[in-house]
Amino acid sequence: MVRAEMKEDLMPEFASYPSLKGKSVIVTGGASGIGALIVEGFAEQGAKVGFLDRDAEASAALAARLEGVDYALCDLRDIAALKAALAELRERIGPADVLVNNAARDDRHDWREVDAEYWDDRMHTNLRHMFFAIQTVAPDMIAKGAGSIINMGSNSWWEAGAGFPAYATAKGAVHGLTRTMARELGGHRIRVNTVVPGWIMTDRQKTLWATPEALEKQRERQCLPDLIQPEYVARMVLFLASDDAAMCTANNYMVEAGSI
């Protein structure tokens, strides 16, 4: 039997974080999905938000809807373009206080059909740009003596999920990146953490893979009965960016409803 969605009288009232007001925030892959909710969440907190994306139409629409939000277009697989876009946003919103490495694509693939070119493209899409974004913004954070870097992981490899081995490998590596960069940058009071989403009900997921059978199976895997909406991932990101999380670094923060 399919369990009920969250009751209206149980809908949460979310927190405000005064420490985020006026902070300069960069979000990669910010035009849609979880990224757009992250951008919106920071904007609501009074932060100066800039995001990167390659979707010109979605980027323009989001920036038009959210007052004061800026963006730059680039393909994050092109590291020179990534660095140029980050420099462009730095000129507009100032040196970054927060970096959210959100951009990724969980495209399905059969391990028997993966060739070297596809494998490398998945690493470039889901992992490589995170390191080079950190490399680009960290000097400004070092100069300030503070910063928060939040990398988006996935519980797909924790669950030993099938259907996307290159994606799962890249996401597994994100945790290694977080741990080592937390050590590299911690002496400058720069915090580096991983947010670990479960199966999040973005429009992309609902369009491509959220069949009634798959959703019921997911519910049975979770300790909590409700399907996970993207705003809950965004709220975890806001917390980790805020001063409330000043002693949180080098760790994983799960938003997966207790999925096993």
Side-chain angles (χ1 to χ4, degrees), residues 101-107 109 118-131 151-158 161 164-178 194-195 252:
N101 274 319
N102 166 74
R105 283 183 65 89
D106 59 345
D107 297 315
H109 48 273
Y118 184 82
W119 181 271
D120 289 346
D121 183 71
R122 293 303 88 194
M123 297 305 116
H124 294 175
T125 299
N126 296 308
L127 176 63
R128 187 177 69 154
H129 61 83
M130 292 190 179
F131 172 78
N151 299 323
M152 198 65 67
S154 170
N155 78 332
S156 58
W157 67 276
W158 294 79
F164 39 39
Y167 171 79
T169 299
K171 284 301 187 178
V174 169
H175 299 268
L177 176 63
T178 289
T194 304
V195 170
N252 306 312

Side-chain angles (χ1 to χ4, degrees), residues 62-73:
L62 182 63
R65 183 167 63 84
L66 300 176
E67 184 177 355
V69 169
D70 207 340
Y71 70 95
L73 297 174

